[in-house]
């Protein structure tokens, strides 16, 4: 239960702090392209720390890594209140991104070795997203949200003090080995492609919703629909094949982004939020379970998956900013649909068992 609470609190902090970053960046004078760069700085830092500490979690004890990650996250998220222009916000967001890449691999491997459900554990992350979005929508003031997000990480740190180290197999890890990556190439590549398109959407979606007439309250409320549905779905995915979950996660996500491209008002975003909730629930749980089950270096495989997500966030943030700057909102949504089509094609090509979509 403590691990689920840590997952809930940390993800709530991430979302309440991050949802209004594009709007906050614009208020500090950032261009659309700079909004994308700020998001890319966060993701780049998370990419490196996820890789480094995923490998470290296979070599070292898990509890200290979790504690350090939560502690530095509490500090870095508080420092966001001192951002005064686009450059300072980018710098502090990079610090926050590095912090939140430290602990996830250690957390998910702890869940695995305790023989708990990864789907149920992941669902508490989605519950945290929902609460974070709702808090963001009700409070609205970004500086207050930075303080509250830091507080949530602090509480998670004190909860983590009560967890005990687990006994795990000793694994010989080579930091620059490509074995884990090659073994899971189908998952990492398709996740990168799908998530690149998704992030191109997320980086400008709050601005798109403002364009369609949404207030801060409605932005927070509509965002909360996605994780609330994820919370219910993720808890029930253990009986499905991981390959099935990944395939349909990509398809459902693509349908969601297609619906965004034809939205006429901010209420029209709601059906897409429901679809993307199914899409991400399927994809995230399926991908995490598959790479952990396949690999001897379990924390490394989970860490590389997190790095893949972060790499997609770098690419998606920059591409989303560029498309928005020179073309427009709807063209960004079309780009995400195309990324989903390519991701599905690549997964079917690289995964030899992807044509078997039966329940376990």
């Amino acid at each position: 239960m403590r691990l689920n609470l840590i997952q809930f609190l940390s993800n709530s902090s991430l979302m309440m702090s991050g949802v209004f970053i594009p709007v906050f960046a614009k208020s500090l004078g950032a261009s659309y392209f700079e909004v994308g760069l700020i998001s890319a700085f966060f993701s780049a830092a998370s990419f490196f720390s996820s890789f480094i500490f995923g490998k470290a979690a296979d070599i070292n004890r898990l509890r200290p890594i979790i504690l350090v990650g939560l502690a530095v996250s509490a500090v870095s998220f508080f420092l966001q209140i001192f951002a005064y222009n686009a450059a300072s916000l980018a710098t502090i967001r990079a610090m926050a991104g590095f912090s939140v890449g430290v602990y996830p691999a250690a957390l998910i491997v702890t869940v695995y070795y305790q023989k708990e459900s990864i789907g149920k554990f992941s669902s508490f992350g989605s519950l945290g997203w929902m609460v974070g979005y709702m808090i963001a929508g009700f409070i609205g003031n970004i500086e207050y949200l930075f303080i509250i997000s830091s507080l949530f990480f602090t509480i998670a740190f004190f909860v983590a003090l009560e967890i005990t180290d687990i006994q795990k197999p000793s694994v010989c890890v080579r930091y620059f080995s490509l074995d884990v990556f090659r073994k899971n190439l189908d998952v990492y590549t398709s996740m990168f492609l799908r998530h690149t398109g998704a992030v191109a959407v997320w980086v400008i979606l709050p601005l798109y919703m403002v364009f369609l007439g949404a207030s801060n309250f409605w932005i927070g409320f509509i965002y909360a629909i996605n994780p609330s549905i994820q919370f219910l779905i993720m808890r029930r995915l253990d009986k499905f094949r991981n390959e099935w979950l990944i395939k349909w996660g990509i398809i459902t996500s693509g349908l969601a982004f297609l619906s965004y491209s034809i939205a006429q008002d901010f209420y029209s975003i709601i059906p897409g939020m429901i679809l993307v909730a199914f899409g991400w629930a399927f994809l995230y749980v399926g991908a995490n379970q598959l790479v952990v089950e396949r690999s001897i270096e379990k924390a490394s495989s989970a860490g590389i998956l997190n790095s893949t997500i972060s790499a997609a966030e770098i690419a998606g943030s920059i591409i989303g900013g560029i498309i928005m700057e020179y073309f427009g909102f709807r063209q960004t949504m079309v780009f995400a649909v195309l990324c989903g089509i390519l991701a599905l094609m690549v997964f079917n090509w690289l995964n030899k068992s992807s044509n078997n979509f039966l329940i376990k």
Side-chain angles (χ1 to χ4, degrees):
M1 186 61 192
R2 291 188 181 94
L3 295 173
N4 292 339
L5 182 56
I6 293 168
Q7 174 81 333
F8 166 78
L9 290 168
S10 60
N11 279 274
S12 183
S13 299
L14 279 169
M15 295 305 113
M16 76 173 75
S17 175
V19 66
F20 292 132
I21 288 294
V23 178
F24 182 53
K26 288 294 290 181
S27 74
L28 296 178
S31 67
Y32 287 118
F33 177 65
E34 287 171 332
V35 170
L37 281 180
I38 290 167
S39 178
F41 270 65
F42 179 94
S43 302
S46 180
F47 170 86
F48 287 111
S49 62
S50 294
F51 178 82
I52 292 168
F53 288 97
K55 294 282 188 178
D58 273 325
I59 301 170
N60 302 293
R61 294 162 51 208
L62 299 175
R63 181 174 176 269
I65 294 174
I66 295 170
L67 289 172
V68 169
L70 295 172
V72 296
S73 295
V75 174
S76 61
F77 273 64
F78 179 76
L79 291 176
Q80 292 176 114
I81 66 174
F82 298 108
Y84 59 88
N85 59 19
S88 63
L89 180 60
T91 302
I92 299 171
R93 287 294 289 172
M95 294 170 58
F98 187 88
S99 301
V100 300
V102 173
Y103 60 85
L107 264 180
I108 202 163
V109 172
T110 301
V111 172
Y112 177 83
Y113 281 121
Q114 289 185 347
K115 302 187 183 305
E116 301 291 338
S117 167
I118 291 177
K120 289 180 180 179
F121 170 75
S122 299
S123 75
F124 279 91
S126 296
L127 183 64
W129 289 11
M130 181 190 72
V131 171
Y133 287 141
M134 293 182 69
I135 291 173
F138 278 110
I139 292 179
N141 186 302
I142 188 67
E143 292 185 348
Y144 291 164
L145 293 172
F146 290 154
I147 295 170
I148 297 172
S149 65
S150 176
L151 177 62
F152 272 40
F153 270 118
T154 302
I155 296 171
F157 171 81
F158 283 108
V159 172
L161 289 173
E162 299 299 319
I163 66 176
T164 56
D165 260 329
I166 62 168
Q167 295 295 322
K168 63 183 180 69
S170 178
V171 179
C172 179
V173 174
R174 292 176 293 168
Y175 264 88
F176 301 103
S177 171
L178 296 178
D179 291 346
V180 175
F181 183 80
R182 282 195 293 262
K183 185 177 293 185
N184 298 295
L185 184 62
D186 54 341
V187 179
Y188 297 145
T189 306
S190 56
M191 173 67 87
F192 174 80
L193 291 167
R194 179 271 180 196
H195 205 56
T196 294
V199 173
V201 172
W202 302 138
V203 75
I204 56 92
L205 188 60
L207 299 171
Y208 184 42
M209 292 171 68
V210 170
F211 170 76
L212 293 174
S215 64
N216 281 357
F217 169 79
W218 276 107
I219 292 172
F221 178 81
I222 292 173
Y223 261 76
I225 293 172
N226 176 3
S228 63
I229 295 174
Q230 286 182 33
F231 174 72
L232 298 175
I233 298 168
M234 284 179 169
R235 305 171 66 81
R236 294 166 171 80
L237 298 182
D238 290 344
K239 66 180 180 179
F240 294 96
R241 288 181 56 85
N242 295 320
E243 292 86 354
W244 187 98
L245 292 172
I246 292 170
K247 177 187 177 182
W248 285 100
I250 295 170
I251 293 172
T252 312
S253 297
L255 293 173
F257 303 138
L258 180 63
S259 75
Y260 292 161
S261 71
I262 60 175
Q264 298 300 309
D265 52 48
F266 69 87
Y267 298 110
S268 304
I269 299 294
I270 294 175
M273 278 296 184
I274 295 172
L275 285 171
V276 86
F278 279 86
W280 183 245
F282 290 173
L283 182 59
Y284 186 76
V285 172
N288 269 290
Q289 290 184 155
L290 189 56
V291 299
V292 170
E293 289 172 3
R294 277 179 177 174
S295 306
I296 297 173
E297 300 174 20
K298 299 186 182 302
S300 296
S301 66
I304 293 174
L305 182 62
N306 287 330
S307 290
T308 301
I309 293 171
S310 296
E313 288 171 352
I314 299 168
S317 297
I318 294 173
I319 294 171
I322 292 172
I323 295 175
M324 181 60 218
E325 186 77 30
Y326 294 104
F327 298 99
F329 289 113
R330 300 186 193 280
Q331 289 81 354
T332 309
M333 311 303 169
V334 172
F335 169 75
V337 175
L338 295 176
C339 284
I341 294 171
L342 185 56
L344 184 61
M345 292 171 61
V346 168
F347 184 74
N348 278 330
W349 176 45
L350 293 176
N351 186 280
K352 295 179 180 178
S353 62
S354 63
N355 291 321
N356 186 1
F357 298 113
L358 302 176
I359 295 176
K360 285 181 179 178

